[in-house]
Amino acid sequence: MTCIMPIGGNKGGTGKSFIGGNLCIALAKRGKRTLMIDLDLGASNLHTMIGMSLPSGSLSDFINRRVEKLEETVIPTPVPGLFLISGARNDLDASNISYQQKQRLSRAISRLSYDYIILDLGAGTSFNTVDFFMISNTGVFVVIPEPTAIENIYRMVRSLFFRMVKQYAGASDFRTIVSVARERDPGGHADHLDNLLIVFSDLFPEKANFFEKSLENMSFTLVMNQMRDSDNPKLGNLICGVIQKHLGVPVTFLGNIAYNSRVHDSVCNRVPFMDKYPYTQTTTDIRKLSETVIAMSGGNDKDITGGDSTDKIQES
Ligand SMILES: Nc1ncnc2c1ncn2[C@@H]1O[C@H](COP(=O)(O)OP(=O)(O)OP(=O)(O)O)[C@@H](O)[C@H]1O
Ligand SMILES: [Mg+2]
């Protein structure tokens, strides 16, 4: 079965594409047939993270029906077992994708057959980003240990589940649910998922039932990137706890990825970080993340390249 993992986050530059690209390499090196799709439609750069210059095909070819099947836009990468749908040559208006185009693209992605499909999303909570995040129920948030990033992720989770309620309830009933929830609890807990669910079930029981069933399979996860020695290693768990407490949305912490000043250098030189700097804490963390992802999705694990997360760490 294919595991589709969107990688998103409300703030720009946290490392979504860096982690997405390197996680894909780590998964492919563990023998997993992996596809990465650049869904940052207006600012695609995922190819750079895996050391490719301008790829030939583009997602726009499918969106604008120059090719009929999404498979036709898949290109191989230098990493065996890793494939890419790039956005590097997207049309200039790619980010103005219509609702119908988005639906067609989402359906086509869901029909692809790989072990893992990683979706690299743009920053923010635009409808495009939120809708792509909801293609699957195993989305990953990338956060950095700064107060602004943490506030932003809280808002993103709220936008996500509000949009989910809206999709199941319909726009007009959604407005009713939110206003009744706020009337019933003016103390500020109306945004809590449990409170919205109670109102939803009271007013529209059939639709709410359907929604609750889909929530059962939902499992948001969080990765804390750019961790320096001075940062609290438990911050990720704390953030998940705050989101659970105030919004009622379960988020599982997947792990920390260490900051390394050479990431900039590897991006500038278009060389995959994990290949250029295999013996660093950052690479070890990414390998561990790939093991966690595989374990979470119920897959068997093997590293076919010889490297594993117990590699000796050689920092600068
Ligand atoms: N673990 C890390 N250590 C050091 N620097 C990092 C790390 N992760 C990311 N960076 C830095 O952050 C920059 C931005 O990373 P990236 O492009 O992956 O962010 P993004 O979240 O995808 O941004 P956008 O929101 O614009 O798509 C990288 O070029 C790199 O310089
Ligand atoms: Mg990016």
Side-chain angles (χ1 to χ4, degrees):
M1 214 174 94
T2 304
C3 172
I4 304 179
M5 294 191 95
I7 301 193
N10 205 352
K11 195 171 157 63
T14 55
K16 298 178 287 297
S17 304
F18 169 70
I19 290 179
N22 283 276
L23 172 63
C24 285
I25 294 175
L27 288 169
K29 287 187 173 178
R30 288 188 176 275
K32 305 296 176 193
R33 218 169 147 263
T34 302
L35 171 69
M36 48 192 201
I37 308 183
D38 198 333
L39 285 176
D40 191 350
L41 298 177
S44 302
N45 58 14
L46 187 56
H47 55 286
T48 309
M49 298 297 176
I50 56 156
M52 288 177 78
S53 45
L54 219 50
S56 50
S58 126
L59 190 60
S60 275
D61 294 338
F62 175 77
I63 294 172
N64 291 325
R65 292 186 179 272
R66 287 190 289 272
V67 300
E68 207 38 53
K69 291 190 174 156
L70 186 57
E71 287 87 330
E72 294 174 65
T73 64
V74 176
I75 53 171
T77 73
V79 183
L82 177 58
F83 301 85
L84 169 69
I85 298 181
S86 168
R89 288 186 190 267
N90 275 353
D91 299 347
L92 285 176
D93 62 351
S95 53
N96 301 325
I97 185 172
S98 72
Y99 180 72
Q100 284 74 20
Q101 287 171 321
K102 204 163 41 185
Q103 291 289 94
R104 179 169 162 263
L105 177 57
S106 300
R107 278 197 303 272
I109 291 174
S110 308
R111 281 197 294 262
L112 293 173
S113 179
Y114 288 84
D115 294 325
Y116 291 90
I117 299 179
I118 307 294
L119 312 178
D120 181 35
L121 306 185
T125 49
S126 71
F127 286 161
N128 279 352
T129 311
V130 170
D131 289 343
F132 286 138
F133 201 90
M134 288 178 355
I135 286 182
S136 109
N137 49 23
T138 50
V140 183
F141 299 113
V142 174
V143 187
I144 55 171
E146 288 175 5
T148 46
I150 295 162
E151 284 158 19
N152 286 348
I153 207 65
Y154 182 86
R155 275 191 222 108
M156 177 158 192
V157 175
R158 195 176 54 180
S159 303
L160 271 171
F161 84 79
F162 264 52
R163 186 141 170 88
M164 282 169 72
V165 177
K166 191 172 181 179
Q167 275 188 348
Y168 279 84
S172 138
D173 291 346
F174 169 73
R175 278 193 296 275
T176 312
I177 292 167
V178 173
S179 77
V180 172
R182 288 188 178 155
E183 271 166 33
R184 283 191 194 174
D185 192 344
H189 301 110
D191 288 353
H192 196 287
L193 183 58
D194 292 348
N195 291 349
L196 282 182
L197 275 178
I198 291 169
V199 179
F200 196 177
S201 304
D202 286 353
L203 302 183
F204 312 103
E206 276 173 27
K207 287 189 201 172
N209 200 7
F210 204 46
F211 175 60
E212 279 186 69
K213 284 222 167 74
S214 85
L215 273 183
E216 280 166 19
N217 301 318
M218 208 72 199
S219 67
F220 291 140
T221 56
L222 184 137
V223 172
M224 187 64 79
N225 188 30
Q226 304 193 30
M227 288 294 284
R228 290 164 165 92
D229 289 346
S230 55
D231 292 317
N232 177 358
K234 294 191 174 139
L235 190 58
N237 274 319
L238 293 173
I239 294 171
C240 293
V242 169
I243 292 174
Q244 168 83 55
K245 182 173 172 211
H246 292 283
L247 296 176
V249 179
V251 181
T252 307
F253 179 52
L254 293 187
N256 294 317
I257 309 285
Y259 176 88
N260 189 311
S261 56
R262 289 157 170 178
V263 172
H264 173 75
D265 164 60
S266 74
V267 175
C268 291
N269 287 303
R270 293 178 187 277
V271 190
F273 180 85
M274 15 190 338
D275 287 346
K276 189 157 188 211
Y277 301 109
Y279 303 119
T280 56
Q281 183 63 51
T282 307
T283 295
T284 301
D285 291 342
I286 291 168
R287 286 208 193 104
K288 264 192 205 149
L289 177 64
S290 71
E291 290 164 17
T292 307
V293 164
I294 291 170
M296 233 177 52
S297 55
N300 293 322
D301 197 10
K302 66 169 188 289
D303 190 329
I304 56 177
T305 61
D308 66 32
S309 59
T310 56
D311 272 343
K312 195 169 92 192
I313 294 172
Q314 290 179 340
E315 293 292 358
S316 57

